[in-house]
Amino acid sequence: MTLLITLDALQTLDAIERRQSFAAAAEELHRVPSAVSYTINKLEEDLGVALFDRSRRKAELTAIGRLVLEEGRKILKAAEQLTALARQAADGWEVELRICIDSILSCDPIYDLIAAFQRVQPKTEIRLTEEVLGGSWDALCDDRCDLVIGAEGAPPAPGLALHSLGKVKFGFAVAAGHALTELPQPLPASAIQDYPTVIVADSSQRLPVRSAGLLDGRSRIIVPGIEHKMEVQRKGLGVGYLPLHRITQQLAEGQLVLLELDAPRPPTEISAAWRRGNTGKALKWFVDRLKKMHFDTERGILTQNP
């Protein structure tokens, strides 16, 4: 397929319009005026249209010429961006870095990392996604992300590198005024059987689904993420374990109340994980900084190692 409109022709057309004359455009493009005129004449001949109205003293763009110029500038911009991306990739920087954040964490600590990264390499596009339970490992194993932050438990497959961030603590939380708050503690499992347990659905697409904090209740309310679980329990629709760092405000304001069970849920270890062999500079930048950080169980943020 022969292209009738070349980048050179579009650059010439753009220079003429910006400089308001063929001679000035030729000077900018380091060509003789006759070469600029030839380029435009050839383009008009190939397209079979007039791009300039030459009936006047000063050549002006026709309506079609204006259309070609405006759309052509989009092509020139895209060509510039493609050139920059190619050079960026050749230098080892990814065009896009896909970061998966496990639902157990708030995204806020990650935003600070992204802000710092943008000051170093603003050209790399950052794509954030959220997964739940085994869904984080699933996304990494299935190549739907390059880096997982907050993956729970052990990796399900070989070939993955990880850095432990710390442990997340959980508390059994109910809405203020819930009937369970009137019972003596610690509560036996039988005490909660009359109340729905709120469960976060595992978002795995290929790996076997995981479960966490399941309680022996008669019914369950299944929600897509921690935020939904917090809200459902705050409204008193169900009960269950919640990560303590995510509910500090609700506890302080008296919206949620912590109760003690006779079989408390142990803390869950969370990690940053990535595929071995990925040598991208953007991934390395994030990994290097995550290796210097740990999860603060009280404040729920990533802080520098002491």
Side-chain angles (χ1 to χ4, degrees):
M1 177 180 173
T2 302
L3 295 178
L4 300 180
I5 303 179
T6 65
L7 291 178
D8 178 67
L10 292 176
Q11 288 176 321
T12 303
L13 187 63
D14 171 68
I16 294 171
E17 195 278 336
R18 286 187 294 99
R19 300 299 296 272
Q20 292 296 299
S21 78
F22 279 59
E27 180 179 357
E28 177 181 310
L29 297 173
H30 304 289
R31 300 177 185 175
V32 296
S34 60
V36 170
S37 296
Y38 173 81
T39 298
I40 296 302
N41 291 337
K42 181 70 165 55
L43 179 59
E44 290 179 318
E45 179 182 339
D46 290 340
L47 294 177
V49 298
L51 301 177
F52 285 92
D53 181 357
R54 295 175 175 79
S55 63
R56 303 179 184 183
R57 180 178 179 181
K58 180 181 179 181
E60 296 182 359
L61 285 169
T62 63
I64 296 177
R66 177 65 58 182
L67 172 66
V68 172
L69 173 64
E70 291 176 354
E71 295 302 316
R73 280 174 171 167
K74 297 178 183 178
I75 296 174
L76 290 174
K77 182 65 175 178
E80 291 176 2
Q81 292 174 341
L82 179 58
T83 300
L85 289 176
R87 289 173 177 170
Q88 174 181 326
D91 194 36
W93 290 101
E94 300 92 323
V95 173
E96 176 186 72
L97 183 69
R98 303 163 299 168
I99 301 176
C100 169
I101 303 175
D102 193 281
S103 177
I104 201 170
L105 292 179
S106 167
C107 289
D108 291 340
I110 314 306
Y111 296 152
D112 293 337
L113 278 178
I114 294 174
F117 175 75
Q118 287 180 325
R119 293 192 288 269
V120 175
Q121 178 55 29
K123 295 295 185 180
T124 295
E125 180 176 282
I126 302 295
R127 182 179 297 274
L128 293 179
T129 57
E130 183 181 59
E131 298 286 349
V132 181
L133 293 172
S136 298
W137 293 117
D138 185 274
L140 187 59
C141 293
D142 199 34
D143 196 26
R144 300 198 307 276
C145 72
D146 305 299
L147 173 66
V148 170
I149 302 177
E152 301 180 46
L160 302 179
L162 66 156
H163 165 68
S164 176
L165 296 172
K167 293 184 178 182
V168 176
K169 295 180 180 179
F170 293 85
F172 182 76
V174 300
H178 194 283
L180 286 176
T181 61
E182 303 297 326
L183 300 179
Q185 301 178 48
L187 298 174
S190 59
I192 65 173
Q193 289 183 351
D194 291 334
Y195 307 100
T197 300
V198 185
I199 302 297
V200 178
D202 189 302
S203 60
S204 295
Q205 298 181 20
R206 298 182 184 275
L207 295 176
V209 298
R210 298 186 178 190
S211 60
L214 295 182
L215 299 169
D216 188 17
R218 290 185 178 179
S219 62
R220 295 173 181 172
I221 299 175
I222 300 175
V223 295
I226 291 293
E227 291 285 348
H228 296 275
K229 180 173 167 63
M230 292 163 53
E231 185 64 12
V232 169
Q233 291 183 214
R234 187 188 68 81
K235 291 180 177 295
L237 303 178
V239 301
Y241 285 103
L242 287 169
L244 290 176
H245 72 276
R246 297 294 299 271
I247 57 173
T248 53
Q249 181 177 347
Q250 292 86 341
L251 292 174
E253 295 176 355
Q255 299 175 16
L256 289 173
V257 177
L258 292 179
L259 301 179
E260 183 182 356
L261 298 188
D262 58 3
R265 177 179 172 180
T268 295
E269 185 170 9
I270 59 172
S271 304
W274 59 98
R275 288 185 301 280
R276 297 186 187 278
N278 187 334
T279 58
K281 286 186 176 180
L283 174 65
K284 184 178 184 302
W285 187 95
F286 276 91
V287 168
D288 286 347
R289 276 145 189 83
L290 287 169
K291 285 182 176 180
K292 299 176 182 178
M293 308 179 83
H294 72 282
F295 177 75
D296 188 305
T297 57
E298 303 299 327
R299 295 183 293 165
I301 60 174
L302 295 171
T303 59
Q304 291 291 326
N305 290 324

